[in-house]
Amino acid sequence: MAMASRTDAAVCMLCEAICGLEVDHDGRRVHAIRGDPNDPLSRGHVCPKGVALADVQNDPERLRRPLLRNGDGWKEIGWDEALGRAATALADVQRRHGRDAVAVYSGNPTAHSPGALFFGQMLADALGTRSRFSTVSLDGLPRQLASFELYGNQALAPVPDLDRTEYLLVLGANPAVSNGSAMASPDVVRRLKDLRARGGRLVVIDPRRTETAKLADEHHFMRPGTDALLLAALLHVLFAEGLVRPGLLAPRLEGLGEVRDLVAPFSPERAAPQTGIDAATIARLARDFAAAPRAACYGRLGTCAQEFGGLASWLIDVANLATGNLDREGGAMFATPAVDLPAVARWVGLAGGFGRWRTRVRGLPEFGGELPVAALAEEIETPGPGRIRALVVHAGNPVLSLPNGGRVERALGSLELMVAIDVYRNETTRLADLILPPTFGLERDHYPLMGHAVAIRNTAHYARALLVSPPGSRHDWEILLGLAERVERARGGVAAVKGWLRGAVGRALPPRRLLALLLRLGPHHLSLARLERAPHGLDLGPLEPRLGRVLGRRRIRVVPERMRADWPRLEAKLSAPPPQAAARLVLIGRRALRSNNSWMHNCARLVSGTQGCVAQIHPDDGARLGVIAGERVALRSRTGEIRVPAEVTDDVMPGVVSVPHGWGHGRPGTAITTASAHPGASINDLTDDGFVDALSGTASLGGVPVEIEAAERRGAGAPAGATARR
Ligand SMILES: Nc1nc2c(c(=O)[nH]1)N[C@H]1C(S)=C(S)[C@@H](COP(=O)(O)OP(=O)(O)OC[C@H]3O[C@@H](n4cnc5c(=O)[nH]c(N)nc54)[C@H](O)[C@@H]3O)O[C@H]1N2
Ligand SMILES: Nc1nc2c(c(=O)[nH]1)N[C@H]1C(S)=C(S)[C@@H](COP(=O)(O)OP(=O)(O)OC[C@H]3O[C@@H](n4cnc5c(=O)[nH]c(N)nc54)[C@H](O)[C@@H]3O)O[C@H]1N2
Ligand code: SF4
Ligand SMILES: [Mo]
């Protein structure tokens, strides 16, 4: 029965940019999605993924009912049976092997769903396991560690005051494609153009001439993994030339002078051969940055998921502190979100703590209660007490997202039990025993808790669910709560009482109520009713200085002990023989406007037309290695091999190969037909779970050594997909 189409406002939950949407729908199906011109933050911007949200929403392959593995096939079962079976089996593994034998992995979409965030924590608590993993250790962990060390809370992130800055130094981020990460900045291309139009300067440091670099005044190629060297050299110049001026921040800082000693050996001349940026340019960049009346240094995935992620992320803040740009208009500021995320993180136990315990096999440090996910496969494979035997994967696709995906795939296949909470049967969830599919997207109320906390303008946007879900559907939070209470009940005794209580409290405080409470307690003291009267979002104004509130009486210890302890590693890098580009190729990743990590390739409009998964290689390397544009190459690393078509382009630095992540579809047992018809290969069959930032345990997804070979020479007609090899 066709229903009348109407148009409602919504807010996109696919990424941090939190764009306002205008949705044409009939209450069951989405007809079209456009940007909402009345949204005070996104001002009508929408990206191809936001438009394609309609396709995921309507996708007949999106799962609606729980699936139980049944031999080689799957059987649909009811929710009570599904939750009951999952909880009983999880409790059983814990009874036999101990609490830590059940691990949980929270994927990226959980960060964009308050219900998933709150209730995911509840499930992990009910399981009582220390085997907690998430994408944080593939992503922003070093950034969070810097905030933890400097400001005492990892959920605090300094955000470039994009609309007012006059100098933006971008390292390892590509906002023109990502729409800003830890910098929610929808409509970012216009904002970057505005920056330049008002006389400001945009400088990009990246081993690839990115879409953002093409908008910039200056772009410099830099060898992957050398940001910390560059930043140390910039600080060296600032100290040497008397350009360190913390201004109003001075009374807040403790030990800024210690930085001078640390960076003393890092002259531009010594940093140049390692970074690939010449000494004169490094010195000039330092002077320009210091001379700008308001400037911000900003780094993202490229400065985090790398060998020196912790030091690089910290030095970015030191550069902002040393020039007085932290917490000042046009510098790097803290958002004042309507829900005080750092406070919430503290309450739910996600803030605080580093290295309080370590992974069993490799001794990688805990952070915020979680362990580095690069250790997941070895923790599953290595026998002994505490070995992981079961896994709950919530909104994640570790087979395609984790380093050494081939090993991850084998490890997941060897588990006694895997429960997936996901909307697709994909590369990961096909390995599960049970798939529990929640409602999706516009079927639930949304408030972008995380996006607001890192936004370049203070706004608050609450959207009610627009679509009705099929009868009996469960939201993510209901599934998590259902599992949590049942796991405890399955344990019996006192735990059963706790489970019963947990269920009662959870149902009495669903996400909507929790949110209403947190909004009231937040710095703007908003009511949910007020937000509901502003369906396009409420404008709360530009960013405001906030350091006093954030720190209280605390002072910023500029050189934290942990950073100092890691410093010799950077000094060793400075003194190492400079790399010869020709001798060693290194791999970096790439994002595209029409991909959302690994999971939106089932939308025809995102995969049609141009080929997504190609390896970019510099013409010099191409000529030397006999790579022909458009032809397939074999890329090999310690962990595996993939074959993809090559694009020969001087958009990448010599010595560097760029491959996008999130591909590698078409595996048997998946039910994503469109994605499988455009499989590509997974870059993470090449990345290395053994290659992490030694300080933080974060996976180093960039800078992986690879060999490249024109595949034709190794036999024509090679398969399109990945062939993992050890
Ligand atoms: N369209 C789209 N948008 C997205 C996503 C998506 O998949 N598609 N994913 C979302 C997610 S989960 C995230 S975390 C954000 C990420 O947001 P960004 O960090 O802005 O995006 P990336 O494209 O990963 O940018 C990282 C950049 O670092 C560069 N790089 C690699 N290694 C190094 C290095 O050692 N040093 C330096 N300086 N640069 C290096 C890469 O060339 C790349 O340009 O994007 C989000 N937005
Ligand atoms: N080489 C390389 N590897 C990378 C990166 C890189 O740049 N290079 N980026 C890293 C980064 S920054 C990230 S964040 C990770 C992402 O890593 P993951 O989070 O593991 O991977 P995603 O592709 O985001 O998968 C999200 C999953 O959630 C499901 N899903 C979507 N919406 C919902 C929902 O509402 N509820 C539930 N329950 N499920 C849902 C999707 O079907 C999909 O299976 O990848 C990391 N891996
Ligand atoms: S930029 Fe992000 S929030 Fe905006 S429409 Fe695209 S996916 Fe959605
Ligand atoms: Mo991410």
Side-chain angles (χ1 to χ4, degrees), residues 49 108 139 172 174 178 205-207 210 224-225 227 301 591-592 595 597:
K49 292 169 292 156
N108 173 270
D139 188 345
N174 188 11
S178 67
I205 313 282
D206 200 296
T210 59
D227 300 74
L301 204 68
R591 283 177 156 73
S595 285
N597 295 331

Side-chain angles (χ1 to χ4, degrees), residues 257-276:
E258 295 165 32
V259 178
R260 174 198 294 270
D261 303 332
L262 284 183
V263 300
F266 292 77
S267 63
E269 290 71 24
R270 289 194 66 197
Q274 296 291 350
T275 57

Side-chain angles (χ1 to χ4, degrees), residues 43 45 160-170 173-181 183 185-204 210-218 296 298 456:
R43 312 180 300 197
H45 177 263
D161 187 9
L162 193 57
D163 290 343
R164 292 180 294 188
T165 194
E166 284 162 55
Y167 190 104
L168 183 64
L169 177 58
V170 177
N174 188 11
V177 167
S178 67
N179 291 290
S181 181
M183 175 178 80
S185 48
D187 201 13
V188 68
V189 169
R190 197 164 97 198
R191 294 187 135 104
L192 292 173
K193 287 181 176 160
D194 287 350
L195 186 166
R196 295 189 59 202
R198 64 176 177 266
R201 203 165 174 80
L202 174 64
V203 180
V204 175
T210 59
E211 294 75 359
T212 307
K214 287 176 183 168
L215 297 169
D217 296 276
E218 281 179 57
Y298 163 73
I456 56 147

Side-chain angles (χ1 to χ4, degrees), residues 439-497:
T439 58
F440 175 78
L442 302 169
E443 291 165 49
R444 54 184 186 234
D445 302 347
H446 187 54
Y447 180 81
L449 204 59
M450 218 258 291
H452 283 316
V454 294
I456 56 147
R457 185 176 181 87
N458 295 317
T459 63
H461 202 163
Y462 183 72
R464 286 308 295 263
L466 298 183
L467 307 178
V468 290
S469 339
S473 303
R474 310 269 168 131
H475 298 303
D476 278 282
W477 71 267
E478 293 173 305
I479 298 171
L480 296 161
L481 177 64
L483 287 176
E485 57 178 329
R486 282 174 178 80
V487 162
E488 285 179 319
R489 292 212 306 255
R491 271 190 210 127
V494 183
V497 179

Side-chain angles (χ1 to χ4, degrees), residues 64 154 162 172 188 310 313 430 514 520 604:
R64 264 88 170 170
Q154 57 253 53
L162 193 57
V188 68
S313 301
R430 79 197 158 107
L514 270 175
R520 279 283 185 206

Side-chain angles (χ1 to χ4, degrees), residues 418-441:
M418 180 169 146
V419 176
I421 307 172
D422 206 287
V423 293
Y424 280 113
R425 178 144 58 81
N426 62 17
E427 299 74 20
T428 294
T429 60
R430 79 197 158 107
L431 303 170
D433 300 286
L434 264 163
I435 309 178
L436 309 174
T439 58
F440 175 78

